[in-house]
Amino acid sequence: MAKGKDKGEGDKPKGGVMKLALGGVALIAVGAGGAYGAFAAGLIGGDKGQGPDVPKLVAKGESDPYAPKDGKGKDSGPVVYGEGGSEYRTAYYAFEDSFTSNLADSPALIQVELAVSTRRDGRVLQWVENHELAIRSAILVQLAATPEADVYAVEGKRKLARRLTEAINGVLEDTEGFGGIENVHFKGFLVQ
């Protein structure tokens, strides 16, 4: 019995130390994995000031590093901004061709001339121009889904402008990962 008792007493400390060592190694592994995961997700470490590379808001009077370099059109000269209103400048892009579509559940046609605006840097308008074909398609889908009664009321036109803004931003988010269009503006609006 003394032999069995000695053997049993000898195994307990040895087994306990082994379990303690394995538990410590497991805790270290879990902690290291968690730290790596937090670092990879950007929660710790790295440059906190640097976020994702998305178009930034451009303050009035600030230069836009992505501004178009062609120098043509009304925006080619230096712009003098007023002191009131938004602290950010607004840039516009006008679609050259108009958009014509049937209205939902109606024989009527709608023809609109559109422009978009953003307060973000020039990349947003470059993307609009680059993806104009997909954007035109999204706009035509929204026009075709518009009830005729909506196009006669001011609030209906506002809702249509918001839906068009969402459609354009949806295309830009799918293709570039960021929208950035803040408003759609009607340059021309005709219902027949």
Side-chain angles (χ1 to χ4, degrees):
M1 280 210 163
K3 240 182 181 180
K5 196 174 189 183
D6 287 339
K7 189 176 182 182
E9 286 176 10
D11 285 343
K12 280 187 181 178
K14 190 175 184 182
V17 171
M18 186 62 103
K19 288 179 184 176
L20 188 61
L22 287 175
V25 169
L27 283 174
I28 290 172
V30 168
Y36 174 75
F39 177 77
L43 299 175
I44 60 172
D47 185 8
K48 289 284 185 189
Q50 182 181 359
D53 185 22
V54 297
K56 308 289 187 271
L57 291 167
V58 179
K60 290 180 178 177
E62 185 179 299
S63 66
D64 181 354
Y66 300 97
K69 307 252 188 284
D70 60 6
K72 64 179 180 179
K74 66 177 183 175
D75 295 330
S76 62
V79 178
V80 178
Y81 294 102
E83 294 182 19
S86 172
E87 66 181 284
Y88 301 105
R89 66 101 173 110
T90 302
Y92 298 91
Y93 175 84
F95 293 95
E96 287 186 29
D97 297 325
S98 62
F99 298 82
T100 305
S101 175
N102 291 348
L103 291 169
D105 301 324
S106 170
L109 292 174
I110 184 171
Q111 183 176 36
V112 293
E113 295 176 29
L114 299 176
V116 295
S117 64
T118 184
R119 293 182 296 162
R120 304 276 175 171
D121 65 47
R123 289 180 283 183
V124 173
L125 298 183
Q126 290 173 10
W127 296 340
V128 169
E129 186 175 12
N130 190 46
H131 301 291
E132 187 170 338
L133 182 63
I135 290 170
R136 288 187 71 78
S137 177
I139 288 170
L140 290 172
V141 166
Q142 291 302 315
L143 291 175
T146 304
E148 184 176 1
D150 284 1
V151 299
Y152 294 116
V154 173
E155 187 56 34
K157 290 175 184 167
R158 285 186 186 133
K159 286 180 184 177
L160 176 59
R162 283 192 297 270
R163 285 189 8 246
L164 294 176
T165 301
E166 290 172 8
I168 293 168
N169 281 330
V171 170
L172 294 179
E173 288 166 7
D174 288 347
T175 56
E176 299 294 342
F178 188 83
I181 295 300
E182 293 167 358
N183 290 304
V184 167
H185 306 278
F186 298 111
K187 293 176 33 181
F189 200 101
L190 177 66
V191 179
Q192 294 180 343

